[in-house]
């Protein structure tokens, strides 16, 4: 089975695949400094919850923001719009079947939401674990259309130019009409590895092109209008003596800065690529299963041991590394002003100085793992744990 959770195979890959911590097979998390003194002020604005979150699915559910509203969903069929300032519910819907006789929304009773949500204008799009994609009115949650695809949708769709582009776990991408859900094109990667990490990075659509990191460690560019492949570039070589060593999934999102793309892969490299041509500009070893972020002259990433790195954007040289949170199985980093934000397997959210990586603040959302990259909107960051608890934090300085 392609997307095995890998728990019994190796400690590092088990953690990459499902972020579960078991004392007998992984390194224990680095203890947090009890004498830590924050240098930045963080205020919790509100907390809320949406269903049961990702639960044990291994999916990295991440909320999204549009027009003053936070949208979030759960694998048990809940979806909600929350006021981004107060956390109050604007609307919420449940597609779960209720009762012994199946009372509830029978049209979407199997809506185990997992990919998204994505929002553009008044359209919200989300995919499910059972191979469906739903178009929903973002203003009130009313259903608009439904499409069936070939497999699980584990990453956020892209909505652009009248199309919704969706990626499935079996290596296919679909271009769907944003008004009707009708299929315009499909792209098949062909053979995909039998063994890969649980999840897919979000799609990036820019300049009429869709970019994504593949399950076999490649950065791929497709034409948005028809799904034709333009080019691909290796992020990992897939070398090794065993299947585990050859595991080279590109599970994080692809960044774009101007015309330059940045991508990375597990057991692979961090690579800067010229977007129009696909020509590599520079490459350096860096193994990760999370998304990157960039600001100023730096690219930030978290490696597969949860060490936080900063690299020079022009050539990939090391700028700094922080291992104070090693083995805490961090999310990908998000830039918030002059700081980075990461979250960990014990529900803590950490702020670091972007200039040198020094820890600046710490808050705890819950005692549950946070898997998805924090969502930064201005001076506020939103995080969601695996049980669907969402917290909003405002960053200031002392």
């Amino acid at each position: 089975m392609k997307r095995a959770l890998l728990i019994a195979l190796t400690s590092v890959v088990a953690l990459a695949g499902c972020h579960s911590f078991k004392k007998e097979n992984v390194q224990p998390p680095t203890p947090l400094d009890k004498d830590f003194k924050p240098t930045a002020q963080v205020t919790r604005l509100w907390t809320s919850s949406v269903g049961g979150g990702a639960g044990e699915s291994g999916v990295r559910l991440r909320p999204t923001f549009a027009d003053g509203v936070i949208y979030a969903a759960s694998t048990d069929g809940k979806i909600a719009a929350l006021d981004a300032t107060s956390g109050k519910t604007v609307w919420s819907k449940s597609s779960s079947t209720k009762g012994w006789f199946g009372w509830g929304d029978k049209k979407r009773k199997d809506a185990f939401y997992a990919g998204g949500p994505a929002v553009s204008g008044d359209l919200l799009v989300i995919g499910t674990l059972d191979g469906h994609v739903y178009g929903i009115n973002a203003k009130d949650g009313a259903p608009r259309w439904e499409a069936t695809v070939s497999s699980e949708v584990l990453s956020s769709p892209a909505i652009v130019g009248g199309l919704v582009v969706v990626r499935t776990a079996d290596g296919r991408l679909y271009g769907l009409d944003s008004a009707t859900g009708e299929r315009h094109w499909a792209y098949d990667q062909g053979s995909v590895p039998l063994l890969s990490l649980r999840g897919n990075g979000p799609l990036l659509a820019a300049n009429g092109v869709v970019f994504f990191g593949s399950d076999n460690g490649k950065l791929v560019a497709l034409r948005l209008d028809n799904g034709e492949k333009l080019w691909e570039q290796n992020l990992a070589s897939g070398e090794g003596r065993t299947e585990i060593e050859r595991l080279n999934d590109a599970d994080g999102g692809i960044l774009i800065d101007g015309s330059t793309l940045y991508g990375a892969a597990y057991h692979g490299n961090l690579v800067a690529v010229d977007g129009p041509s696909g020509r590599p500009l520079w490459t350096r070893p860096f193994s990760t299963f999370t998304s990157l972020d960039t600001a100023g002259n730096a690219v930030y990433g978290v490696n597969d041991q949860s060490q936080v790195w900063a690299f020079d954007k022009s050539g990939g040289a090391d700028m700094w590394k922080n291992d104070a949170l090693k083995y805490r199985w961090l999310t990908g980093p998000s830039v918030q002003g002059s700081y980075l934000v990461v979250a960990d397997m014990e529900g803590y959210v950490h702020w670091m100085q972007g200039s040198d990586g020094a820890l600046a603040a710490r808050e705890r959302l819950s005692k549950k793992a946070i898997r998805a990259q924090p969502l930064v909107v201005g001076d506020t960051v939103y995080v969601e744990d695996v049980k669907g608890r969402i917290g909003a934090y405002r960053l200031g300085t002392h």
Side-chain angles (χ1 to χ4, degrees), residues 36-342:
F36 171 70
K37 293 182 173 25
T39 58
Q41 182 179 358
V42 174
T43 303
R44 179 185 286 189
L45 301 179
W46 54 261
T47 62
S48 186
S49 61
V50 177
E56 300 300 320
S57 69
V59 175
R60 290 174 289 187
L61 279 172
R62 187 190 193 206
T64 194
F65 171 89
D67 299 325
V69 178
I70 292 292
Y71 298 90
S74 65
T75 55
D76 58 357
K78 308 295 193 302
I79 190 165
L82 309 174
D83 183 274
T85 301
S86 67
K88 292 182 179 179
T89 300
V90 178
W91 58 259
S92 65
K93 300 289 182 179
S94 173
S95 64
S96 298
T97 302
K98 298 181 176 67
W100 288 101
F101 301 103
W103 297 325
D105 185 348
K106 293 184 180 180
K107 290 183 178 179
R108 294 187 291 141
K109 65 182 179 181
D110 293 328
F112 306 123
Y113 298 127
V119 177
S120 179
D122 63 354
L123 175 65
L124 181 153
V125 179
I126 191 163
T128 73
L129 291 173
D130 69 335
H132 289 92
V133 183
Y134 295 109
I136 296 169
N137 189 318
K139 303 304 180 185
D140 59 11
R144 288 187 174 179
W145 50 259
E146 174 186 345
T148 301
V149 290
S150 57
S151 183
E152 297 173 300
V153 180
L154 302 177
S155 62
S156 184
I159 309 173
V160 62
L163 282 177
V164 174
V165 184
V166 178
R167 179 180 180 181
T168 54
D170 60 357
R172 293 178 170 87
L173 276 75
Y174 297 90
L176 309 176
D177 190 285
S178 62
T180 65
E182 178 186 358
R183 184 182 302 180
H184 284 243
W185 56 259
Y187 168 79
D188 188 349
Q189 296 180 58
S191 62
V192 294
L194 293 176
L195 197 61
S196 65
L197 304 180
R198 175 69 169 169
N200 294 131
L203 299 171
L204 169 66
N207 304 317
V209 182
V210 177
F211 304 97
F212 65 97
S214 72
D215 298 314
N216 56 357
K218 298 181 185 298
L219 195 167
V220 183
L222 307 180
R223 282 183 52 162
L224 178 63
D225 58 351
N226 62 12
E228 176 187 349
K229 185 165 74 172
L230 298 173
W231 53 259
E232 65 179 38
Q233 183 59 242
N234 285 335
L235 299 175
S237 64
E239 297 177 352
R241 293 175 297 176
T242 68
E243 287 291 332
I244 298 301
E245 291 172 341
R246 290 191 293 271
L247 188 64
N248 59 354
D249 207 339
D251 233 22
I254 304 300
L255 293 179
I256 188 168
D257 183 33
S259 62
T260 303
L261 301 166
Y262 300 91
Y266 186 64
H267 286 166
N269 301 296
L270 170 61
V271 180
V273 176
D274 177 68
S277 67
R279 177 176 57 89
L281 302 175
W282 55 259
T283 183
R284 58 152 300 135
F286 188 67
S287 176
T288 185
F289 46 80
T290 63
S291 294
L292 310 166
D293 207 351
T294 183
N297 66 335
V299 176
Y300 302 101
V302 173
N303 71 7
D304 56 16
Q305 295 183 341
S306 286
Q307 296 165 308
V308 186
W309 289 75
F311 304 104
D312 178 70
K313 193 162 59 177
S314 63
D318 300 354
M319 296 176 66
W320 54 257
K321 178 182 75 169
N322 186 311
D323 57 7
L325 305 174
K326 192 174 182 180
Y327 301 128
R328 297 194 68 83
W329 311 119
L330 303 177
T331 66
S334 292
V335 174
Q336 186 177 20
S338 59
Y339 295 87
L340 294 183
V341 192
V342 294

